[in-house]
Every structure is written in C-alpha cells, then in structure tokens.
Amino acid sequence: QKEVEQNSGPLSVPEGAIASLNCTYSDRGSQSFFWYRQYSGKSPELIMFIYSNGDKEDGRFTAQLNKASQYVSLLIRDSQPSDSATYLCAVRGGSYIPTFGRGTSLIVHP
Amino acid sequence: DAGVIQSPRHEVTEMGQEVTLRCKPISGHDYLFWYRQTMMRGLELLIYFNNNVPIDDSGMPEDRFSAKMPNASFSTLKIQPSEPRDSAVYFCASSLGTSGGAGETQYFGPGTRLLVL
C-alpha cells in the first residue's frame, strides 16, 4: 500500500512569515512529486512539481525533495492571508498515477 | 481552453435514486480520473481511463458505482441506487499523459457536490 502522509494541521502562521509544509511517502521508487493548493469549496490546483533531489523555487514557493529520507516539503515565503488553504501533496511511484495525501490546512493570520 | 467541465455542479437527490455525473476533459488529454472527496477520507481515486479505456477501477466502492467514457471528450459516473453515504464532492480530472511533471499534472474540474437524503 503506497502511503502519503501529511499533518492535517491546521498550521497557523502570521502574515509575512515562512510557512513550512511537510509530506512523507512510503514508496522508495517514487519519481514525481506534486504540491496542489485547494481553497475551501474549490478544486485542487497545481502549485509546482519536483522530481530531482534538492530545491526548486517558483516565486514565493520552494519545493524541497529528499529521496533518501522520503520526504518532500513546500516552503511559502512572505505568507499572505490569501495563501490560507489546504495543501495537498501527491506522489507518483512506479505506476503513472499519483497518490494524494490528506492535505494540510494552512491559516495565515494578519 | 475552458478547462475540465463537470455537470451538474450541485445535486440533491433522495436515497435510492439514480445519479449521473458528467465530465468533459481538456482537449488532447489522454487520461481522465474520477475522485471522491470527503472530510473523513480525503481525496479518493475511484477510477481512471487512458484513451477512453478504463485502466483501474479498484477504487470504486461497490457495484452501485459505474463509469464510462464513450469518447475522448465525455465521461460519466453513475450511482444506482444512491445512498446517503455517497454524499461527497466528486471531481473529474484530466492529464496529458506524457512523462515528466508537466505531462503528469492533473487538472481538476470544479466538482459536483452530491447530497443524498
């Protein structure tokens, strides 16, 4: 059973701070890693993907991948109230289909 | 492109009735996915298609659920008979199907919010 684990939260951070979201996975053969954002009452939308060890930056977002330790993180710099949402981690192993975690709820308070 | 289109957006029905959810994927996408999302269970993959062919339906909860994809631009998820525990948000998603992050990215429709009384 391929598992993707996320802390459900909520993670509460003040505006302007760095929010750190973590995800661990069980399948060592995993190859692609995705972060989706889901606002309340809306559908998930892709923030970014990563498939090489290390960091990948896109604006205020940085994804960090450590395959040896089997975790992937998402850092959000200069957090804004508009970043308040649920963040879903998805991991694609040997099959084409990614497995989604349950998501972490992020609250950015002014 | 209009993105993934789902209908209806909201459905309220009574237990025992048949429910049909519809999805139009993004043109050119070879994969189509049906998900169910609840607070208790999160996002669950029900079934997915590749080039209109069902590949894995192991997530379909029971025989009351069925899905079809008669052509590249249309899919349905049917529940017959419906039960209160089927109440959830049902998402359809599609992806290109090429290897690599961009090709594997799933684009979700707005979802259908189903309430079975």
Side-chain angles (χ1 to χ4, degrees), chain A residues 31-32 34 36 38 40-46 49 51 88 92 95-98 100-102, chain B residues 31 33 35 37 39-43 45 48 91 95 97 101-106 108-109 113:
Chain A
Q31 300 177 27
S32 303
F34 304 81
Y36 288 79
Q38 186 176 22
S40 179
K42 302 296 184 181
S43 56
E45 57 180 351
L46 181 75
F49 58 80
Y51 35 79
L88 302 170
R92 200 268 289 178
S95 72
Y96 175 74
I97 307 307
F100 281 82
R102 295 285 302 273
Chain B
Y31 281 78
F33 307 83
Y35 290 91
Q37 188 175 44
M39 290 293 291
M40 291 294 294
R41 300 173 69 90
L43 194 65
L45 177 64
Y48 74 93
F91 288 107
S95 67
E104 298 169 14
T105 296
Q106 296 188 21
F108 285 77
R113 282 150 184 80

Side-chain angles (χ1 to χ4, degrees), chain B residues 1-101:
Chain B
D1 199 312
V4 176
I5 299 172
Q6 290 187 248
S7 65
R9 295 290 302 275
H10 302 272
E11 178 82 24
V12 180
T13 190
E14 293 187 346
M15 182 174 62
Q17 296 298 305
E18 178 180 295
V19 175
T20 299
L21 311 181
R22 297 173 177 80
C23 175
K24 175 179 169 57
I26 294 173
S27 177
H29 281 193
D30 289 339
Y31 281 78
L32 183 140
F33 307 83
W34 281 102
Y35 290 91
R36 177 172 68 177
Q37 188 175 44
T38 61
M39 290 293 291
M40 291 294 294
R41 300 173 69 90
L43 194 65
E44 301 175 273
L45 177 64
L46 301 177
I47 185 172
Y48 74 93
F49 296 82
N50 179 21
N51 291 322
N52 313 338
V53 177
I55 303 300
D56 185 351
D57 65 354
S58 60
M60 297 284 259
E62 48 197 274
D63 292 344
R64 297 184 297 106
F65 286 69
S66 62
K68 295 181 180 180
M69 192 167 185
N71 57 61
S73 59
F74 184 66
S75 177
T76 60
L77 177 67
K78 185 175 293 187
I79 309 173
Q80 167 62 20
S82 57
E83 296 183 3
R85 61 191 167 125
D86 301 331
S87 298
V89 180
Y90 290 81
F91 288 107
C92 175
S94 68
S95 67
L96 272 172
T98 54
S99 295

